[in-house]
Amino acid sequence: MGGCFSKPKPVELKIEVVLPEKERGKEELSASGKGSPRAYQGNGTARHFHTEERLPAPHPYPGAQDCVEAAICHVKDLENGQMREVELGWGKVLLVKDNGEFHALGHKCPHYGAPLVKGVLSRGRVRCPWHGACFNIGTGDLEDFPGLDSLHKFQVKIEKEKVYVRASKQALQLQRRTKVMAKCISPSAGHSSSTNVLIVGAGAAGLVCAETLRQEGFSDRIVLCTLDRHLPYDRPKLSKSLDAQPEQLALRPKEFFRAYGIEVLTEAQVVTVDVRNKKVVFKDGFKLEYSKLLLAPGSSPKMLSCKGKEVENVFTIRTPEDANRVVRLARGRNAVVVGAGFLGMEVAAYLTEKAHSVSVVELEETPFRRFLGERVGRALMKMFENNRVKFYMQTEVSELRAQEGKLKEVVLKSSKVVRADVCVVGIGAVPATGFLRQSSINLDSRGFIPVNKMMQTNVPGVFAAGDAVTFPLAWRNNRKVNIPHWQMAHAQGRVAAQNMLAQEAEISTVPYLWTAMFGRSLRYAGYGEGFDDVIIQGDLEELKFVAFYTKTGDMSWLTGKGS
Ligand SMILES: Cc1cc2nc3c(=O)[nH]c(=O)nc-3n(C[C@H](O)[C@H](O)[C@H](O)COP(=O)(O)OP(=O)(O)OC[C@H]3O[C@@H](n4cnc5c(N)ncnc54)[C@H](O)[C@@H]3O)c2cc1C
Ligand code: FES
């Protein structure tokens, strides 16, 4: 990413890419976490985690016998600003030369394993080529999301013009480093009806908030709660890999939560929040007091409101169970997807290899038209048609017909009747904030929670992050926007945690979204709310292109391939 955009008129906005393959005051919580923790059992289930145990964090330079050291190149082999993947012992490292200095780091992105050598080195950071995570080359630390872990940083020395790297074998094998975290030292964690930090929502924003608190040294009680029956998992994979089992999707193993004393209450729905008494009430009547609250409830999918909406085998995709059931029902049968947005199109692409037929129903003329424009939408539509997907455009569902209670046909407003054994509805989502309506936490007219740059709501001590918020976007003149992306939820969760600790952090990340269909990935950076023009470079037919979406405004912006 970088450079200047040469179009004469000022442009605001940004762009995208398809590539093959792939205030609060100082009375905030202190890092040591002073509070008055009391006991809690969620759902009647005791959740007391012993926190003495910690996951083994491999030291980068343990005993000599555990290390490997070798000369890997001559100092002149790399130019400044160059990166190279080099073999070291049984593994590989990413060697970086920047400002005359060499750095050796883990070579794979801890998010999904992208080869970082194909990424971009800029301003002391390497940016992952797949989904844009950023790592500091001086420390290996993750500085921008997505993902949770950092890179190992290995020792480098120069002797007689040769570059030597020394690394622990374990670190070379693991290729990821979990930052050092505090333990929970609260004596009554898991037993009382109050917690220092309560996080409503164990998705991306909630988990990153909890981890950041521990990384920053916070050692008091943290409780995360979720509607799900699972520990936090990789939600974006649900629509790209519908067969994946919950354990394959887990973002952290259960030992992790034990080791760091992060309590997760599963199937625990918060129904009311009483900000005066700093207390939430769960559906089963349980009450939990908090000192600081993060609201990260995400969104709820919209459902069809047509005749027959209650028939069996009609799904939205929110959980691994939804996704698994859709694939089971679609195998060798007829699948209909309603909505040609990212979720719907990902599901349609995945099902083409499993189902007898896949049909997509959409109100617009082309998929993604409003988001990516007519030309890009058409090119993507062609790719789907080449893969046997049948489109029913500019129409909508008028009825779902069943036989013995189970879906059999989808009737369209155009009078067309489409055979269907399973239907996936991907027509958008609304913020899951209904439980806040009676609280004095502000909601806007669409139900979003407005926050400031520090992720603070209107109520002191109550923060919010993720899909459920609108926040001021700096390069949009601080206009409040909602950006429901995985990466953004991570970044906001982190800022919320920092501000619970009075670190006065502000949200400043560039929004980033990716999708994957038929082995190709599409990556979108920035925030586009409409555009005046789309400039396409590369070969749209071949789906190897970069598209720039421009709009008259007060800012110039550019992204390029691999950024
Ligand atoms: C199928 C699918 C695919 C996606 N793919 C992509 C993608 O490829 N790239 C991308 O950038 N984004 C993608 N997204 C969007 C991305 O997943 C979200 O932006 C992100 O998950 C938002 O994080 P969050 O923490 O705000 O909410 P979520 O991750 O949705 O988590 C919300 C949490 O709140 C809990 N909760 C809600 N209400 C309550 C309550 N009353 N009491 C207790 N707990 C509650 C939920 O159970 C859940 O644990 C996808 C979303 C879906 C559904
Ligand atoms: S693989 Fe690097 S950010 Fe996803």
Side-chain angles (χ1 to χ4, degrees):
M1 189 184 295
C4 281
F5 187 50
S6 59
K7 201 161 192 279
K9 72 177 173 179
V11 290
E12 179 175 331
L13 205 32
K14 61 139 277 295
I15 319 325
E16 222 3 80
V17 186
V18 179
L19 292 177
E21 168 274 319
K22 317 280 42 322
E23 63 248 283
R24 290 267 359 121
K26 307 287 183 199
E27 94 322 311
E28 304 297 343
L29 300 172
S30 69
S32 62
K34 288 230 169 81
S36 51
R38 281 162 267 152
Y40 177 61
Q41 297 185 345
N43 312 338
T45 312
R47 285 185 173 87
H48 180 204
F49 294 138
H50 296 279
T51 55
E52 302 77 35
E53 339 152 31
R54 304 192 67 179
L55 293 183
H59 192 283
Y61 319 118
Q65 69 283 11
D66 301 317
C67 283
V68 52
E69 181 175 317
I72 52 175
C73 68
H74 190 277
V75 285
K76 292 195 178 144
D77 286 349
L78 260 74
E79 299 292 333
N80 269 326
Q82 226 186 324
M83 302 191 283
R84 184 179 290 178
E85 210 174 74
V86 290
E87 307 273 341
L88 181 68
W90 298 269
K92 286 181 184 172
V93 298
L94 179 74
L95 189 66
V96 177
K97 189 174 181 184
D98 192 47
N99 287 327
E101 220 182 305
F102 282 89
H103 305 270
L105 304 150
H107 70 108
K108 273 191 189 169
C109 178
H111 180 226
Y112 286 178
L116 291 171
V117 71
K118 295 191 175 166
V120 173
L121 177 63
S122 168
R123 297 184 199 163
R125 291 162 140 201
V126 55
R127 185 179 280 273
C128 175
W130 288 358
H131 316 117
C134 276
F135 302 91
N136 184 306
I137 57 170
T139 61
D141 283 354
L142 174 70
E143 291 190 344
D144 204 356
F145 300 98
L148 298 169
D149 284 328
S150 297
L151 300 173
H152 283 290
K153 175 84 204 277
F154 305 116
Q155 220 170 25
V156 176
K157 69 176 179 190
I158 312 289
E159 268 179 22
K160 296 184 182 158
E161 303 283 281
K162 283 196 177 140
V163 182
Y164 288 80
V165 176
R166 178 182 164 87
S168 90
K169 294 173 188 169
Q170 198 187 358
L172 276 174
Q173 275 157 15
L174 276 179
Q175 286 295 337
R176 61 172 60 229
R177 172 175 58 88
T178 301
K179 281 188 184 167
V180 172
M181 296 198 201
K183 298 182 197 183
C184 176
I185 54 169
S186 170
S188 56
H191 289 298
S192 77
S193 58
S194 98
T195 179
N196 294 87
V197 173
L198 173 63
I199 300 175
V200 181
L207 178 62
V208 171
C209 178
E211 291 201 15
T212 303
L213 287 168
R214 289 287 184 249
Q215 287 162 7
E216 299 295 319
F218 179 73
S219 57
D220 224 318
R221 192 170 181 208
I222 301 174
V223 174
L224 268 169
C225 60
T226 171
L227 305 179
D228 266 296
R229 65 175 71 151
H230 308 290
L231 291 171
Y233 57 84
D234 194 336
R235 199 181 294 287
K237 280 189 182 161
L238 292 181
S239 47
K240 299 168 189 70
S241 183
L242 283 90
D243 272 325
Q245 297 305 299
E247 53 281 10
Q248 297 171 300
L249 298 170
L251 292 170
R252 296 291 195 190
K254 69 172 180 279
E255 296 74 23
F256 175 91
F257 295 95
R258 261 192 217 124
Y260 298 112
I262 298 169
E263 298 166 55
V264 185
L265 308 180
T266 54
E267 297 178 272
Q269 182 181 2
V270 172
V271 288
T272 52
V273 177
D274 171 359
V275 296
R276 244 182 98 210
N277 296 304
K278 293 191 158 192
K279 191 162 59 180
V280 304
V281 182
F282 288 85
K283 196 174 179 191
D284 62 4
F286 200 87
K287 297 182 177 65
L288 184 60
E289 290 170 20
Y290 60 84
S291 300
K292 291 284 176 286
L293 178 66
L294 175 72
L295 299 166
S299 58
S300 311
K302 286 188 194 162
M303 253 320 232
L304 292 172
S305 54
C306 63
K307 191 171 167 199
K309 62 181 189 303
E310 65 294 330
V311 306
E312 278 180 50
N313 301 341
V314 179
F315 297 88
T316 56
I317 306 279
R318 292 304 291 183
T319 65
E321 288 74 21
D322 295 335
N324 294 173
R325 283 199 68 198
V326 166
V327 193
R328 269 202 305 278
L329 288 162
R331 238 177 259 282
R333 297 160 88 187
N334 305 300
V336 171
V337 174
V338 183
F342 288 105
L343 187 150
M345 295 292 270
E346 288 171 359
V347 171
Y350 190 83
L351 292 181
T352 51
E353 288 205 345
K354 321 272 174 194
H356 170 67
S357 74
V358 180
S359 307
V360 174
V361 180
E362 164 64 42
L363 266 173
E364 294 279 347
E365 219 172 311
T366 41
F368 307 118
R369 194 179 69 85
R370 268 193 251 173
F371 197 59
L372 301 179
E374 185 72 25
R375 285 179 66 198
V376 174
R378 282 221 171 275
L380 293 170
M381 187 169 172
K382 197 166 146 210
M383 171 174 77
F384 275 75
E385 286 170 335
N386 291 342
N387 283 281
R388 290 194 308 118
V389 176
K390 177 137 183 65
F391 286 91
Y392 296 90
M393 305 306 279
Q394 293 183 286
T395 186
E396 57 190 302
V397 176
S398 63
E399 185 182 352
L400 297 168
R401 283 192 193 141
Q403 209 170 47
E404 294 170 9
K406 294 193 169 64
L407 181 70
K408 265 291 150 226
E409 286 169 347
V410 173
V411 185
L412 307 181
K413 285 220 167 124
S414 59
S415 309
K416 184 89 196 162
V417 178
V418 186
R419 291 189 61 187
D421 300 293
V422 59
C423 174
V424 175
V425 181
I427 54 172
V430 292
T433 52
F435 67 105
L436 297 173
R437 289 224 177 88
Q438 307 307 319
S439 75
S440 48
I441 297 162
N442 283 348
L443 297 179
D444 71 14
S445 58
R446 295 178 297 161
F448 290 108
I449 311 165
V451 293
N452 63 15
K453 286 183 186 173
M454 298 163 84
M455 311 317 293
Q456 293 161 322
T457 69
N458 62 308
V459 176
V462 180
F463 298 78
D467 282 11
V469 307
T470 58
F471 69 101
L473 189 59
W475 41 277
R476 276 289 183 144
N477 294 327
N478 290 324
R479 193 143 53 82
K480 289 229 164 141
V481 297
N482 168 254
I483 300 188
H485 300 170
W486 187 244
Q487 163 264 1
M488 183 57 74
H490 283 60
Q492 294 181 347
R494 179 164 176 80
V495 170
Q498 289 171 316
N499 289 314
M500 284 183 184
L501 300 172
Q503 293 179 356
E504 299 187 7
E506 292 189 352
I507 187 77
S508 67
T509 183
V510 174
Y512 194 96
L513 171 78
W514 79 93
T515 180
M517 302 154 191
F518 301 116
R520 290 175 185 272
S521 66
L522 181 145
R523 303 186 267 262
Y524 185 99
Y527 178 72
E529 233 187 18
F531 39 83
D532 302 334
D533 199 4
V534 184
I535 299 150
I536 292 169
Q537 294 177 354
D539 190 338
L540 193 54
E541 293 269 301
E542 285 290 308
L543 293 174
K544 293 179 185 173
F545 69 95
V546 183
F548 299 90
Y549 299 86
T550 67
K551 191 173 181 180
T552 304
D554 57 1
M555 187 178 287
S556 298
W557 190 262
L558 171 72
T559 64
K561 278 193 181 183
S563 63

